[in-house]
Amino acid sequence: MASRKSSRATGGSPSPGSKRETKHGGSKNGKKEGLSGSSFFTWFMVIALLGVWTSVAVVWFELVDYEEVLGKLGVYDADGDGDFDVEDAKVLLERSVPAQPTSPESEETVQPAEKSYVEPDHKTADIELEEEIQSVLREALHSQPERHEDVDESVSDQWQVKEETHGETFEAPATDDMLREFEPEIPEAYETPDSDQKEDAMKHYEEDRVHEDYSEDQGIESKPTEDDVVIEPEESETPVKPEDYSDDVQVGKSEKETEQDKTEKAKKKKKPKLLNKFDKTIKAELDAAEKLRKKGKVEEALRAFEALVNQYPQSPRARYGKAQSEDDLAEKMRSNEMLQQAINTYDEVVSLPNVPSDLIKLSLKREADRQQFLGRMRGSLVTLQKLVQLFPSETSFKNDLGVGYLLIGDNSNAKKVYEEVLSLAPNDGFAKVHYGFILKAENKIAESIPYLQEGLESGDPGTDDGRFYFHLGDALQRIGDKEAYKWYELGYQRGHFASVWQRSLYNVKGLKAQPWWTARETGYTELVKSLEKNWKLIRDEGLAVMDKKQSLFLPEDENLREKGDWSQFTLWQQGRKNENACKSVPKTCALLERFPEATGCRRGQIKYSIMHPGTHVWPHTGPTNCRLRMHLGLVIPKEGCRIRCAQENREWEEGRVLIFDDSFEHEVWQDAESYRLIFIVDVWHPELTAQQRRTLPAI
């Protein structure tokens, strides 16, 4: 206005700059030049109120089902709290960001062959993950989903895949399978048979023969995945070189998937429904308690769930949360008593009214798992039987039941279970490998091979297990098929074996590994000198036992012989002295008492071994890399007896000690004209610490 007055007063025309200002609304007070401050504020308020009332209308009239939208996003519940939130987004972003290369110093040693299996999968998974997230977001935001009353946003950490570890005897918090007891009390189902109570070890599937609980730390050891099929009497020779490994063994699902496979996959993707109608009314309280548990505030979570159980005793989800919190606290406290309390609470969940089926499944499955962890195999079996009775169409529960039978050595019932599974689902890889395992234990070698091979090739969960590579290779070896070494190679590449030749599965990492040892290398020179100095005394006492009418030598019964006659007389087993046996050879036992590296070796034996002419022992490996085996020659024929360890043959000499690592493949031939008698002494691997020797579970 001031500029206009100035113009008029001077009688001049507006300047070019003034024209541009006016054109663009530069004048502050002209009515035609733009909106006033009050008008702008009025329109802003109108638009804001329209937005508010629109939002109210959407919610009031339920135009969008937000719970269903969140339910779809719940597929990406990465942190286990039952819904999709900022923390889940962080996890997914971390997964999608390529891992930064680590320095050679910090990188864990990975075999080159292993890397080739892992790296492409990660890249593919990242791309698929991003595409799937975008797809679900579009679907959730641009579609009108149906309402599902039973959709539950709560979580169960039991659907998460158990973290694999390489430690048989130490369990870190939040890991199920690493802790062992300091001085383990071995339950019946886990015991390895001693000299006067032997069993065919191949008939046992016991994944963890050693008692496993929360008592004390023990020596770090790679997790066992094989039964004690090879706690063998002794060993032999002549190298069998693996053939060219260039032909890849294909392990993976066929491109053609059956409708049944697709149905099973769809079932796996479906989110479990854990809330009944009542629990939905207290969902906020349940989620608040669950958040505490998820954040690691175990004690607070337990108190919260206990309060909910007291307030709502008929709430299955509250009781399940209490069981999970007790389970978590048991890991944190390393308390078997607390774990037993969790097992009891899991069982209580199932007894409540109106429990959702998915919650029953989770509770019983976790209960069975925790019972097995404590070595209560028969109790676990009862729980698994209950699961199968409640859900007879679920083949996965039948598969678990089969394992339950195998864990107590009941191969007959396990076989029936897997036959039933395969009749319902002929392509079930898990059932195939276990059925093949049982057939091989029955010495039906040729019949076992297709089941083991097809099961491994299926790539189904639970099939990529060292014991199945071990037994498939062993079966192929026994029919003279050199394809065995391709499967051993693949087992090595998958991280199940230390090498193609060293195939033990109860291992401590980092121990020196070589087939043959000298006395100096072991550090046990005094023991070796004592054995060689007193070899005639040891021989004479052994021969005296052989001459008795009621022989104390027992036949080898671990299915290691192709043919022939092979027997043993055991003095120590698993670090335990056989007092009755030592009464027959008192001087020999007194001699050995001075050497705890032998008598205290709870992963070995001390025994006489006699092998008669015409005997051949199949190629085999011992169960652990924690021991070395000494052979003292007592009665050795001049020709015809030899032993192979890995790719080197050797022969025994009377009065001399051979030392080898029986976790490497070895084989024995006795083609002499008279018997061969040796004395076997197992000793701890020299690199094991005193703590490890004291705490490693017995085998």
Side-chain angles (χ1 to χ4, degrees):
M1 185 177 284
S3 64
R4 287 184 180 183
K5 283 181 179 180
S6 177
S7 274
R8 289 191 189 108
T10 57
S13 60
S15 68
S18 299
K19 285 181 182 178
R20 280 196 299 272
E21 261 186 31
T22 304
K23 184 177 180 181
H24 289 86
S27 176
K28 293 181 180 178
N29 299 322
K31 292 181 181 179
K32 294 182 180 180
E33 268 76 5
L35 295 174
S36 68
S38 61
S39 298
F40 180 82
F41 179 75
T42 301
W43 280 109
F44 175 79
M45 290 301 295
V46 169
I47 292 169
L49 287 171
L50 282 173
V52 170
W53 284 109
T54 302
S55 301
V56 170
V58 168
V59 174
W60 183 263
F61 295 106
E62 296 183 341
L63 298 178
V64 177
D65 187 350
Y66 289 102
E67 287 192 5
E68 188 65 22
V69 173
L70 292 173
K72 285 182 174 290
L73 291 176
V75 174
Y76 300 97
D77 173 23
D79 58 7
D81 63 348
D83 53 19
F84 183 82
D85 52 22
V86 175
E87 293 180 11
D88 297 312
K90 287 179 181 178
V91 174
L92 293 175
L93 284 172
E94 287 172 4
R95 289 179 184 172
S96 63
V97 176
Q100 297 298 320
T102 56
S103 64
E105 291 81 5
S106 63
E107 185 176 4
E108 185 178 348
T109 303
V110 180
Q111 295 157 354
E114 259 186 286
K115 289 185 180 179
S116 66
Y117 280 95
V118 176
E119 291 173 359
D121 292 341
H122 282 301
K123 293 176 183 176
T124 305
D126 292 339
I127 295 168
E128 290 177 355
L129 183 62
E130 290 179 10
E131 291 175 351
E132 197 172 353
I133 289 173
Q134 293 299 324
S135 171
V136 171
L137 286 172
R138 284 195 295 272
E139 182 183 352
L141 295 174
H142 299 293
S143 66
Q144 187 74 6
E146 267 183 67
R147 289 187 68 85
H148 293 283
E149 300 231 347
D150 292 328
V151 173
D152 166 42
E153 263 74 45
S154 298
V155 303
S156 165
D157 286 346
Q158 309 318 314
W159 288 92
Q160 296 174 357
V161 178
K162 189 187 294 183
E163 181 187 64
E164 275 191 27
T165 59
H166 294 284
E168 178 185 345
T169 59
F170 173 77
E171 178 152 6
T175 305
D176 290 337
D177 295 320
M178 291 175 65
L179 277 184
R180 307 285 182 185
E181 187 172 294
F182 195 90
E183 289 295 338
E185 177 185 348
I186 303 174
E188 180 181 350
Y190 280 98
E191 283 189 8
T192 303
D194 57 22
S195 60
D196 56 2
Q197 191 186 2
K198 292 187 177 181
E199 302 174 68
D200 184 348
M202 285 181 62
K203 294 180 182 176
H204 294 275
Y205 177 85
E206 297 162 16
E207 297 174 309
D208 299 307
R209 279 188 177 266
V210 189
H211 186 51
E212 180 176 29
D213 59 22
Y214 290 118
S215 297
E216 296 273 352
D217 289 9
Q218 301 182 26
I220 301 294
E221 176 177 25
S222 63
K223 177 156 178 52
T225 53
E226 193 232 72
D227 53 323
D228 282 15
V229 65
V230 277
I231 297 185
E232 61 282 350
E234 54 169 356
E235 12 312 345
S236 345
E237 200 189 352
T238 323
V240 179
K241 293 183 77 173
E243 297 299 324
D244 182 14
Y245 300 144
S246 58
D247 297 331
D248 293 333
V249 180
Q250 299 297 324
V251 176
K253 277 195 172 293
S254 167
E255 292 181 6
K256 296 181 180 179
E257 287 185 316
T258 64
E259 288 300 319
Q260 185 178 353
D261 293 332
K262 292 177 182 177
T263 304
E264 288 296 322
K265 282 188 177 181
K267 285 182 182 177
K268 289 176 185 176
K269 288 184 179 179
K270 188 178 178 182
K271 185 179 179 183
K273 299 175 183 178
L274 306 183
L275 301 185
N276 62 16
K277 288 184 179 180
F278 173 76
D279 280 340
K280 288 178 183 178
T281 66
I282 60 168
K283 183 177 182 301
E285 296 170 80
L286 290 168
D287 287 349
E290 182 63 27
K291 286 283 185 183
L292 292 171
R293 193 181 75 83
K294 181 190 69 175
K295 290 178 180 179
K297 299 178 179 179
V298 184
E299 292 86 350
E300 292 179 46
L302 180 55
R303 286 194 294 270
F305 277 116
E306 283 176 338
L308 288 172
V309 168
N310 291 333
Q311 189 175 357
Y312 311 113
Q314 298 303 304
S315 166
R317 182 63 183 90
R319 201 168 296 263
Y320 180 69
K322 178 176 178 281
Q324 286 185 300
S325 300
E326 290 167 342
D327 201 339
D328 293 343
L329 190 57
E331 289 187 355
K332 184 176 181 179
M333 295 171 57
R334 298 175 138 179
S335 167
N336 295 334
E337 291 74 21
M338 179 58 69
L339 183 56
Q340 183 57 52
Q341 191 172 323
I343 290 170
N344 295 339
T345 308
Y346 283 124
D347 198 57
E348 290 171 6
V349 174
V350 182
S351 65
L352 294 174
N354 304 316
V355 185
S357 295
D358 287 342
L359 194 57
I360 292 175
K361 294 174 185 177
L362 289 176
S363 297
L364 290 178
K365 192 169 176 64
R366 184 62 175 174
E367 181 184 348
D369 178 82
R370 300 292 75 195
Q371 287 170 318
Q372 289 180 8
F373 180 80
L374 286 179
R376 292 167 188 170
M377 301 304 173
R378 295 188 184 278
S380 173
L381 186 63
V382 171
T383 304
L384 292 169
Q385 287 170 335
K386 188 187 297 185
L387 256 178
V388 170
Q389 289 167 2
L390 290 171
F391 306 100
S393 63
E394 296 269 2
T395 55
S396 65
F397 296 151
K398 286 185 170 68
N399 281 333
D400 291 340
L401 179 60
V403 171
Y405 280 119
L406 287 169
L407 285 171
I408 64 169
D410 188 351
N411 286 23
S412 177
N413 274 315
K415 186 177 183 182
K416 291 176 184 176
V417 169
Y418 290 120
E419 285 173 343
E420 183 181 352
V421 172
L422 290 171
S423 69
L424 297 171
N427 296 319
D428 191 306
F430 188 92
K432 281 187 174 182
V433 289
H434 286 81
Y435 191 66
F437 176 92
I438 295 168
L439 290 174
K440 184 169 179 291
E442 294 175 346
N443 211 28
K444 297 177 180 176
I445 305 299
E447 289 180 49
S448 72
I449 291 172
Y451 286 101
L452 287 166
Q453 184 167 328
E454 290 170 17
L456 283 171
E457 288 172 344
S458 74
D460 285 349
T463 59
D464 187 22
D465 188 306
R467 93 196 83 198
F468 302 128
Y469 289 92
F470 181 97
H471 286 296
L472 174 57
D474 186 62
L476 289 167
Q477 274 186 312
R478 294 192 183 198
I479 65 169
D481 191 336
K482 297 297 177 63
E483 288 284 315
Y485 287 97
K486 293 183 180 180
W487 286 97
Y488 290 147
E489 173 72 14
L490 188 57
Y492 159 65
Q493 291 175 2
R494 293 287 174 94
H496 300 304
F497 307 138
S499 73
V500 173
W501 296 106
Q502 190 181 22
R503 301 191 297 272
S504 56
L505 295 170
Y506 292 77
N507 299 322
V508 168
K509 284 189 171 182
L511 298 181
K512 182 177 180 179
Q514 61 187 42
W516 293 98
W517 290 66
T518 65
R520 184 182 297 276
E521 287 173 325
T522 68
Y524 300 135
T525 53
E526 289 303 313
L527 171 59
V528 173
K529 287 178 182 177
S530 181
L531 290 173
E532 292 183 341
K533 180 180 178 181
N534 296 282
W535 76 275
K536 290 184 179 178
L537 179 153
I538 297 170
R539 179 198 63 187
D540 292 344
E541 286 197 327
L543 291 174
V545 172
M546 287 175 58
D547 289 339
K548 290 184 178 179
K549 291 182 179 179
Q550 187 176 1
S551 178
L552 296 176
F553 279 77
L554 299 175
E556 177 275 325
D557 60 355
E558 296 175 29
N559 197 25
L560 297 174
R561 282 172 293 164
E562 178 189 13
K563 58 182 180 178
D565 186 353
W566 176 22
S567 299
Q568 299 156 97
F569 174 47
T570 303
L571 307 180
W572 269 268
Q573 176 92 4
Q574 296 181 329
R576 298 195 299 265
K577 183 179 180 180
N578 185 333
E579 297 289 350
N580 288 331
C582 279
K583 288 177 182 177
S584 299
V585 287
K587 294 178 182 178
T588 299
C589 288
L591 181 72
L592 289 164
E593 295 280 11
R594 297 167 40 216
F595 302 102
E597 63 267 31
T599 59
C601 181
R602 292 181 299 106
R603 297 204 155 190
Q605 305 97 43
I606 299 175
K607 57 195 175 185
Y608 288 89
S609 172
I610 183 170
M611 187 175 290
H612 293 278
T615 301
H616 173 233
V617 178
W618 294 111
H620 61 285
T621 59
T624 179
N625 73 339
C626 295
R627 74 186 186 202
L628 300 179
R629 178 155 284 186
M630 298 183 178
H631 280 191
L632 172 64
L634 300 178
V635 179
I636 308 298
K638 290 183 179 180
E639 294 180 350
C641 294
R642 65 192 190 278
I643 176 172
R644 169 180 69 85
C645 186
Q647 295 173 286
E648 183 179 348
N649 297 337
R650 295 197 182 180
E651 296 181 354
W652 297 273
E653 296 179 43
E654 292 182 356
R656 299 300 301 273
V657 170
L658 287 178
I659 308 172
F660 65 100
D661 184 339
D662 77 328
S663 64
F664 284 81
E665 178 180 294
H666 51 286
E667 186 176 7
V668 173
W669 293 263
Q670 215 290 39
D671 297 323
E673 296 181 355
S674 60
Y675 69 85
R676 182 227 63 185
L677 179 66
I678 62 173
F679 190 59
I680 297 176
V681 179
D682 289 337
V683 293
W684 285 117
H685 192 290
E687 292 182 355
L688 287 174
T689 66
Q691 169 77 356
Q692 288 171 321
R693 298 182 191 201
R694 187 168 62 251
T695 59
L696 283 171
I699 292 178

